[in-house]
Amino acid sequence: MEMKDFSLEGKVALVTGASYGIGFAIASGMAKAGATIVFNDIKQELVDKGIAAYKEAGIEAHGYVCDVTDEDAVQAMVKQIAEEVGVIDILVNNAGIIKRIPMCEMTAAQFRQVVDVDLNAPFIVSKAVIPAMIEKGHGKIINICSMMSELGRETVSAYAAAKGGLKMLTRNIASEYGEYNIQCNGIGPGYIETPQTAPLRERQPDGSRHPFDQFIIAKTPAARWGTTDDLVGPAVFLASDASNFVNGHVLYVDGGILAYIGKQPQ
């Protein structure tokens, strides 16, 4: 094992939905490790914002407008990337949505939409890149799973069902294509500091923590929220040659939540 085994020099990495947030952080980390970054988003304005953010970070990224639930559009994007940038060596299935609605109030259409984006799309994009990975003789697929791949929680029935399915899709891709030197693993983020979670971390007028913030801190052995930077090292590892014999696993980056039963009430 040498440090060069962690390098992504010469690799083309597609990170879906990486205009901002977790996807942006992972893609930026892979760029620093030497990868050429390609990303998509569903609207041109989001792609433009993403390209501007990468440029500000000193990264030349290639952005494409594509709905990852549309199989024909994904196949066309992957073909275009191969022609304009290069064959995809690394795929990060990051694009996802969540709808926090009690199960009995959620419509079947809303349930299907979450499953479509969070589970069907990773299947569609993985299916599109695997043939070229087989031909090239290697490939890395990283699925952004969740603690909800293991746990249930109020109001997230569709999300938990999709992320649980994504864990099993990860294992099945590893099982089916491992012999072609393709490794498929997952990353399961814990509760991460992002603009979307900022309201849950704001101090209350009396200076106390938000109730949900208190809940997360109490449930996390690390006693803090994660940052997007906490996900970069695991992602680079799973994308690099250092993980060539790691296949079919989900690496939970959660500060220890899943290992912890919680504090005894006082």
Side-chain angles (χ1 to χ4, degrees):
M1 173 67 66
E2 299 179 19
M3 289 308 297
K4 66 179 178 61
D5 292 324
F6 292 88
S7 172
L8 303 182
E9 287 289 341
K11 306 294 187 183
V12 175
L14 167 61
V15 186
T16 66
S19 297
Y20 57 90
I22 288 173
F24 178 84
I26 288 174
S28 297
M30 288 184 174
K32 291 174 183 176
T36 298
I37 299 303
V38 179
F39 73 98
N40 82 290
D41 220 310
I42 198 165
K43 295 179 181 178
Q44 185 65 54
E45 64 182 275
L46 293 174
V47 171
D48 292 342
K49 286 181 180 179
I51 288 174
Y54 285 110
K55 188 174 182 179
E56 186 176 348
I59 298 167
E60 183 183 351
H62 305 264
Y64 295 83
V65 177
C66 181
D67 177 354
V68 287
T69 68
D70 183 333
E71 187 166 10
D72 290 340
V74 168
Q75 290 283 352
M77 177 183 70
V78 168
K79 183 174 183 291
Q80 188 176 359
I81 291 168
E83 293 170 350
E84 297 178 354
V85 184
V87 173
I88 295 164
D89 301 285
I90 301 159
L91 166 63
V92 182
N93 282 309
N94 166 75
I97 62 171
I98 187 169
K99 290 182 181 295
R100 293 182 176 87
I101 304 170
M103 180 175 165
C104 288
E105 297 174 18
M106 176 174 259
T107 66
Q110 290 170 325
F111 189 94
R112 289 190 190 101
Q113 183 186 9
V114 174
V115 172
D116 205 21
V117 177
D118 293 356
L119 180 56
N120 289 343
F123 163 78
I124 288 169
V125 185
S126 298
K127 178 183 172 184
V129 303
I130 285 172
M133 289 180 172
I134 292 173
E135 187 174 341
K136 204 168 186 179
H138 69 81
K140 300 282 186 175
I141 297 174
I142 302 170
N143 292 323
I144 303 303
C145 296
S146 167
M147 289 189 300
M148 299 304 111
S149 297
E150 301 290 343
L151 301 173
R153 192 167 181 275
E154 303 85 356
T155 76
V156 294
S157 58
Y159 184 79
K163 292 298 186 178
L166 186 58
K167 175 183 71 174
M168 293 312 300
L169 179 63
T170 299
R171 291 178 177 177
N172 205 80
I173 292 172
S175 301
E176 199 163 346
Y177 296 103
E179 66 179 294
Y180 299 103
N181 194 28
I182 294 171
Q183 291 84 48
C184 181
N185 294 288
I187 292 176
Y191 287 91
I192 304 296
E193 292 180 356
T194 65
Q196 288 81 2
T197 61
L200 300 175
R201 291 179 280 106
E202 288 179 353
R203 289 283 177 173
Q204 302 302 287
D206 64 0
S208 65
R209 291 180 180 272
H210 187 287
F212 191 79
D213 188 20
Q214 293 180 40
F215 169 71
I216 295 304
I217 297 301
K219 287 291 186 183
T220 307
R224 68 173 178 86
W225 289 64
T227 69
T228 53
D229 284 346
D230 288 322
L231 302 170
V232 172
V236 170
F237 165 66
L238 292 176
S240 73
D241 289 343
S243 62
N244 281 349
F245 205 55
V246 179
N247 212 359
H249 292 274
V250 179
L251 174 53
Y252 291 100
V253 187
D254 65 354
I257 290 179
L258 288 174
Y260 187 42
I261 197 171
K263 291 182 180 179
Q264 180 176 331
Q266 298 297 315

